[in-house]
Amino acid sequence: MIKKIAFLLVFFQLLSCSSSSTTGASSENSLNGKWNWVSSTGGFIGSTLTPASEKKTMTIEISNSAIKRYENGKLLSENTFEIKTQNSIYGDNKKMIVIEDRPSQSFEIKDNKLFLNDECHDCYQSEYVRIK
């Protein structure tokens, strides 16, 4: 039950956001594409969630200013977002995915991996891999 609650928290926090100054379109363009969920780590109990442990797949599709979320191939949500630079709880200013009325998520792209960090205490850091 705790794993299911934690997974749902991760999922809804992936829809994150807040506000501040906008960064350039290059950050947004580098996010464009489809991404498969690899794992999420964190939460109050410090758990690690994976598609195997949760018995489901999760994919995000990002294009320009829209983000679509899929679970086991089924569309769960579609939201518009902005890329902004904001003060991070992890220190310094970071690029954030901002969706209205949601907590922000900082992000980093390394090679074909996307790292999403929920900007709240006891939240999750998630890893995705780009679908080629």
Side-chain angles (χ1 to χ4, degrees), residues 24-33 61-68 79-83 97-98:
S26 63
S27 295
E28 190 171 324
N29 290 340
S30 64
L31 281 170
N32 285 348
E61 182 178 355
I62 303 171
S63 59
N64 298 322
S65 61
I67 229 175
K68 294 179 182 177
N79 299 91
T80 58
F81 72 94
E82 294 181 81
I83 302 294
I97 294 174
V98 178

Side-chain angles (χ1 to χ4, degrees), residues 24-80:
S26 63
S27 295
E28 190 171 324
N29 290 340
S30 64
L31 281 170
N32 285 348
K34 290 185 179 181
W35 302 87
N36 275 335
W37 176 56
V38 174
S39 66
S40 296
T41 303
F44 181 72
I45 60 173
S47 62
T48 297
L49 308 173
T50 66
S53 70
E54 301 307 304
K55 297 177 177 50
K56 57 180 81 177
T57 62
M58 196 161 51
T59 303
I60 54 176
E61 182 178 355
I62 303 171
S63 59
N64 298 322
S65 61
I67 229 175
K68 294 179 182 177
R69 304 205 182 274
Y70 298 87
E71 185 178 296
N72 295 327
K74 180 182 175 187
L75 180 66
L76 292 178
S77 66
E78 183 173 359
N79 299 91
T80 58

Side-chain angles (χ1 to χ4, degrees), residues 2 10 12 14 16 21 23 26 28 32 36 57 63 71 73 76 79 81 101 113 122 125-128:
I2 290 175
V10 169
F12 288 113
L14 289 174
S16 332
S21 64
T23 64
S26 63
E28 190 171 324
N32 285 348
N36 275 335
T57 62
S63 59
E71 185 178 296
L76 292 178
N79 299 91
F81 72 94
D101 298 326
K113 293 183 179 182
D122 293 330
Q125 297 175 323
S126 298
E127 179 183 336
Y128 289 79

